[in-house]
């Protein structure tokens, strides 16, 4: 793994947005989702060869609160898993994957099932999610992590709500193939 910066602020994470949208056409490249509602990594306070801690700000009016569990709003577990995947994608981007696979796209690794255990809710009143991903294995175009997702509530204390094991993201080359 090349030398990584120790952290990424909001602007540095925003710079990792998918370049196709930034240039307005079907150009190759890897990046995080351009729609801010779907970009679940907002900043990275810890980044190293074997760990990434990503943060997501939460607001009571986040779109998912209005549509998931009428009368008992909470963040869907599948969206929490997407945040885990985006955390691993961010680690790969910070490690220079765009240089190694300029025509690639992210895919969920398929060699083994992701083990997801949800133990709590992310609901209105919570202010931040913290994705603490330990990179357990990696190669030139892939990484696997075990992720603990904690929520910070109004009192500020962290509560672990999700453990995702075997979160694997790989990059497949799409050179010469239509997007």
């Amino acid at each position: 793994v090349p030398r990584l910066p120790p952290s990424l602020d909001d602007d540095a994470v925003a710079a990792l947005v998918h370049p196709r949208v930034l240039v307005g056409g079907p150009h190759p490249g890897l990046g995080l989702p351009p729609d801010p509602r779907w970009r679940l990594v907002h900043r990275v306070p810890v980044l190293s060869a074997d760990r990434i801690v990503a943060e997501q700000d939460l607001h009571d009016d986040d779109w998912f609160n209005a549509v998931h569990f009428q009368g008992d709003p909470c963040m869907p577990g599948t969206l929490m898993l997407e945040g885990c995947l985006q955390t691993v994608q961010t680690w790969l981007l910070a490690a220079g994957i765009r240089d190694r696979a300029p025509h690639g796209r992210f895919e969920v690794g398929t060699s083994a099932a992701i083990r997801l255990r949800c133990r709590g809710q992310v609901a209105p009143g919570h202010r931040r999610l913290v994705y603490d991903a330990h990179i357990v294995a990696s190669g030139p175009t892939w990484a696997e992590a075990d992720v603990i997702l904690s929520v910070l509530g109004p009192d500020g204390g962290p509560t672990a709500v999700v453990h995702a094991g075997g979160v694997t993201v790989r990059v497949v080359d799409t050179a010469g193939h239509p997007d």
Side-chain angles (χ1 to χ4, degrees):
V1 174
R3 188 165 191 272
L4 299 168
S7 63
L8 301 171
D9 63 15
D10 297 51
D11 292 335
V13 171
L16 300 177
V17 166
H18 201 290
R20 286 186 179 99
V21 175
L22 296 179
V23 295
H27 300 284
L30 293 163
L32 297 173
D35 186 331
R37 294 172 300 173
W38 289 102
R39 192 173 340 119
L40 305 178
V41 172
H42 296 152
R43 76 197 60 77
V44 176
V46 176
L47 183 60
S48 70
D50 62 355
R51 185 174 178 221
I52 177 172
V53 177
E55 296 179 344
Q56 176 186 355
D57 296 327
L58 298 170
H59 308 282
D60 290 348
D61 63 350
D62 281 331
W63 67 268
F64 50 82
N65 285 325
V67 298
H68 193 257
F69 292 154
Q70 194 72 1
D72 185 19
C74 66
M75 184 178 193
T78 53
L79 198 55
M80 289 187 254
L81 176 58
E82 173 64 21
C84 295
L85 292 164
Q86 286 185 27
T87 298
V88 177
Q89 291 171 2
T90 302
W91 185 86
L92 284 165
L93 288 164
I97 191 66
R98 282 181 173 160
D99 295 332
R100 292 188 303 282
H103 299 281
R105 64 181 165 78
F106 288 122
E107 280 190 354
V108 176
T110 58
S111 61
I114 295 173
R115 298 170 310 282
L116 184 68
R117 291 187 313 231
C118 297
R119 296 291 183 242
Q121 287 189 335
V122 177
H126 293 141
R127 296 292 159 236
R128 183 175 300 144
L129 287 176
V130 178
Y131 300 88
D132 190 346
H134 293 266
I135 306 300
V136 296
S138 67
T141 58
W142 64 276
E144 178 183 338
D146 290 335
V147 185
I148 295 175
L149 174 57
S150 298
V151 65
L152 301 178
D155 63 356
T159 301
V161 292
V162 168
H163 179 262
V167 178
T168 304
V169 174
R170 66 183 186 145
V171 175
V172 294
D173 191 3
T174 59
H177 302 284
D179 291 16

